[in-house]
Structures are given as structure tokens and as C-alpha cells.
Amino acid sequence: MSESGLLERLIEALRVLPGVGHKSAQRMALHLLERQRERGRHLAAMMAEALDKIGNCQQCRNLTEHAVCSICRSAARDATSICVVESPADLSALEVATGYRGRYFVLHGRLSPMDGLGPQELGLNLLAERLAAPGLQEVIIATNPTVEGEATAHYLTQMARKHDLKVSRLAHGVPLGGELEYIDRGTLAHAFGQRVRA
Amino acid sequence: MSESGLLERLIEALRVLPGVGHKSAQRMALHLLERQRERGRHLAAMMAEALDKIGNCQQCRNLTEHAVCSICRSAARDATSICVVESPADLSALEVATGYRGRYFVLHGRLSPMDGLGPQELGLNLLAERLAAPGLQEVIIATNPTVEGEATAHYLTQMARKHDLKVSRLAHGVPLGGELEYIDRGTLAHAFGQRVRA
Ligand SMILES: [Zn+2]
Ligand SMILES: [Zn+2]
């Protein structure tokens, strides 16, 4: 195996995939070469095409190969509500988990001056336009519960408050199925303070 | 996310990789699109090139982009010894683990009539030529210790015995670091029967 320069280069290139070390990369390369040449060629072509054609939706910045994504184009989605998320993966998780039928805005990150991520990089000028558009009634801020995610949520809340909009954030609390003894103190204190009527 | 036909097709295509389900495939696709477009393009190109150019060595059937692989070409490798393995991955494991400096022969499978794998598919006519070639002295049969691997080893042993060659197989026994109580009975009985002087 180690004698093939091209094979070694393929193994090295596969390590760009998340969670793939040398051993898995070798297994993947040999699997494709030994058993799945046709599907491997298809994967290479799909990967090149997707990286070439998929960009950000002009309205919500979600990933799409069209100018405007299908959620933004869909008449079945409620145009009076926008849910702001950090990433396409978060959008996908919400789509799967909730019955939300409004629209989205994807930041592709969170405010992080240390990493050079400011309002411009997150497309907040575009978000500002959408917040000012007639017909919008509700903004749901669904950033992650990290320090930077919270700071971003705070910033977005200020932006949204300039308009006559209902602004909400995801509820914090004890995760369903979580055991109290394993939950971090901050979350537990918050859940206790915000307890709801049984 | 779910709105992008091209993205969904990329996610589906990624599932050809071993051990990659829908969730990992989605994570991989988003990682490339959100963070690693350049290296993703490089991977797609390497994959296409490798699948296009890598074939089997004319002498040993190992994977290589050349007519004859670098092990077979190398004057530093002992041409009097051939080690027969089922797969390039097995060859690689032996290269890493042992100090073996001879040459190889790769079956790309094991005798398995049910799967349509007979002597022809395993390149045994080519192996027969190599066994008959002047200068060869030793054959090491390193098939896997499965039922089919054992049957293949038996067949290969018969082939090799037609020539004046030293024929050997990998030793079976207790794996280093293994605990007796967790070792299967067959292996334990074998190790006991074949015990060596301490
Ligand atoms: Zn959109
Ligand atoms: Zn070779």
C-alpha cells in the first residue's frame, strides 16, 4: 500500500473530512478502490459540483444552489416570522425537531471579534433589511448557549427591538431526559428560577 | 438545509464511505461547504484521479498507479520470498507491523464460490507463474483466520507444494496482551496444543 504515491495523496486528502484520521482515511480509500469505484466516482463528481454551485441564499443566507432557497421561495412558509440561527446544521436540527413553518436567517457564525467575525461577516446588514420589511411580525433568536452565542443573541435582540416585533429566544432549562445530578449548576439554577406552574 | 437538492445529493453520495450514516454525511458536507471549500475541491479531484489511475500491479496485483508497483520494482526487496495476502489493507498492516522485506501477492479476496470468487478472480494463474519462476524460495501464506481464509490457505499450500519452496503460514495463538478468559476456545485449544518451550 505505502508504495502508491497517488493512494497516499488520496488518504491525506480524505483527512479534511471531520473526525477522519489516517486509519479511517486509509479504510475509506481502500473501500472505494477495492469495492466502490462507480459510487466513488459519483461522490467525487457530486462533491466538485456542490462546492462549485452551492452558495448562500440571497434572502436568508442558507446554503442553496439557487439564488433564493426553497424555504424562502415557498408560499407555504410563514413570511411574518424569521428564526435566526448560527449555521445550516442548526437550521436543519430545528426543521427536524420542531413544527416551525416560518423562515430563517443564517449567520454562518457568531459575533467573535477575536476571529474577525463582526456584524458584516454575519450579514447583519441584510438581516436589518429583513427586519425593516413590512409584514414581519416575529423574530426568534436561536443562537447557541455559548458565551459568544449569548453575546450575539443580545446584539440581535437590540437590533430587533428597533422595530415593532415580537422577539423571543429559545428557552433554557433541564434537557428532557437529563438527570439533575449531571446538569451544570448554571442551567439548574436557571431552570429553578424560571420554573413553570405544574 | 433540507431545501437544497444538490446538498441532499452530496449527503447521499457521501454514504458510500464506510461507517458513514446520514448524520455523519451531513456533518461532512456542511463542514466542506462552510469551512473547507478549497481542500474539499482538492479531495474531489484526488478521488477522481485515484479512481481513474490506480489499478493493480502486473506482478503482485497490489494497488498502484504504475504498471509495476514500487515494492516489485525495488531492488532492496528480497525477490526470493512472496507473501500472499487477501487485501491491500492486510499488506499494509504487515508492512507496518513486521520487518518483512520480501515481495507480495494480493488476492483481492478469498476463495468463495458462493460469491463467484474462484481461482481466476483471485489471479491464481498469475500467482502460479510467479511460483514457477526461477529464484523463488519461500512462500508465506497470510490469509485471514476465517473459514474461507483457511480454505484459501489450504488451496495455496497445495499450489506451492508443487514447487521446491519453503511454505509457511502465520502462527495462530493467544494474541499478545490478550487475556485467556476472553479468548475463544478454538484459539485457546490451538495455543495449548502448539505450546512452545519456555
Ligand atoms: Zn433562503
Ligand atoms: Zn507489485
Side-chain angles (χ1 to χ4, degrees):
Chain A
M1 240 236 14
S2 57
E3 84 294 343
S4 168
L6 189 49
L7 177 52
E8 284 305 317
R9 267 147 56 217
L10 171 58
I11 291 170
E12 191 52 41
L14 280 161
R15 297 188 58 182
V16 68
L17 298 173
V20 174
H22 183 79
K23 192 84 187 169
S24 320
Q26 180 184 316
R27 201 158 51 93
M28 288 173 169
L30 293 177
H31 181 77
L32 295 179
L33 288 163
E34 292 278 281
R35 279 190 285 278
Q36 296 283 7
R37 294 220 171 205
E38 257 333 292
R39 289 181 64 193
R41 283 194 188 92
H42 174 69
L43 171 57
M46 286 304 310
M47 204 179 277
E49 188 184 353
L51 288 164
D52 194 40
K53 294 189 181 161
I54 293 179
N56 295 344
C57 171
Q58 287 172 5
Q59 289 181 26
C60 76
R61 306 207 338 148
N62 190 20
L63 294 171
T64 176
E65 71 268 34
H66 304 290
V68 176
C69 78
S70 64
I71 292 182
C72 288
R73 282 199 316 263
S74 169
R77 306 288 304 218
D78 178 4
T80 69
S81 174
I82 287 182
C83 175
V84 184
V85 294
E86 291 183 19
S87 70
D90 293 344
L91 185 161
S92 180
L94 288 169
E95 282 286 287
V96 169
T98 74
Y100 180 65
R101 297 296 295 163
R103 300 205 170 149
Y104 289 94
F105 190 85
V106 181
L107 301 172
H108 295 284
R110 61 214 70 82
L111 287 175
S112 179
M114 299 287 282
D115 302 317
L117 292 179
Q120 171 128 27
E121 286 71 25
L122 303 189
L124 297 192
N125 43 354
L126 178 57
L127 178 60
E129 280 177 34
R130 298 207 41 203
L131 295 180
L136 187 68
Q137 296 172 13
E138 181 185 26
V139 178
I140 300 165
I141 298 170
T143 54
N144 286 299
T146 59
V147 172
E148 289 174 342
E150 293 290 325
T152 306
H154 181 75
Y155 190 99
L156 296 172
T157 304
Q158 302 306 313
M159 277 180 72
R161 286 267 160 75
K162 289 179 196 154
H163 306 273
D164 184 23
L165 298 169
K166 188 165 78 179
V167 184
S168 63
R169 299 182 48 185
L170 298 191
H172 289 309
V174 177
L176 291 181
E179 295 193 64
L180 294 193
E181 76 176 290
Y182 298 116
I183 290 171
D184 71 280
R185 276 168 57 173
T187 301
L188 195 53
H190 179 94
F192 191 82
Q194 302 292 309
R195 64 194 177 277
V196 296
R197 179 168 299 183
Chain B
M1 242 244 0
S2 57
E3 83 295 344
S4 166
L6 189 48
L7 177 52
E8 283 305 317
R9 267 147 55 217
L10 171 58
I11 291 169
E12 191 51 39
L14 280 162
R15 295 188 59 182
V16 67
L17 298 173
V20 174
H22 184 79
K23 193 85 187 167
S24 320
Q26 181 184 315
R27 199 157 52 91
M28 288 173 170
L30 293 176
H31 180 78
L32 295 179
L33 287 163
E34 293 279 281
R35 280 189 287 279
Q36 296 282 7
R37 294 220 172 205
E38 258 331 292
R39 288 181 65 192
R41 283 193 187 93
H42 174 70
L43 171 57
M46 286 303 310
M47 204 179 279
E49 188 184 353
L51 288 165
D52 195 39
K53 294 190 182 161
I54 293 178
N56 294 344
C57 170
Q58 289 172 1
Q59 289 181 24
C60 76
R61 308 207 334 149
N62 191 21
L63 294 171
T64 177
E65 71 268 34
H66 304 291
V68 176
C69 78
S70 64
I71 292 183
C72 288
R73 282 200 316 265
S74 168
R77 307 287 304 218
D78 179 3
T80 68
S81 175
I82 288 182
C83 177
V84 184
V85 295
E86 290 184 19
S87 71
D90 294 343
L91 185 160
S92 180
L94 288 170
E95 283 286 288
V96 169
T98 72
Y100 180 65
R101 298 296 294 161
R103 300 205 170 148
Y104 289 94
F105 189 85
V106 182
L107 301 172
H108 295 284
R110 61 212 71 82
L111 286 176
S112 180
M114 302 286 283
D115 302 316
L117 292 178
Q120 173 130 26
E121 286 71 26
L122 303 189
L124 298 192
N125 44 354
L126 178 56
L127 178 61
E129 281 176 33
R130 295 204 49 202
L131 295 180
L136 188 67
Q137 295 172 13
E138 181 184 25
V139 178
I140 300 165
I141 298 170
T143 54
N144 285 298
T146 58
V147 172
E148 289 175 341
E150 293 288 326
T152 306
H154 182 75
Y155 190 99
L156 296 172
T157 305
Q158 302 306 314
M159 276 180 73
R161 286 269 160 74
K162 290 180 194 154
H163 305 274
D164 184 25
L165 298 168
K166 189 165 78 178
V167 185
S168 64
R169 298 183 49 188
L170 299 190
H172 289 310
V174 178
L176 292 180
E179 295 194 64
L180 294 194
E181 76 177 291
Y182 298 116
I183 290 171
D184 71 279
R185 275 167 58 176
T187 300
L188 196 54
H190 180 93
F192 190 81
Q194 302 292 309
R195 63 194 178 276
V196 297
R197 180 169 298 185

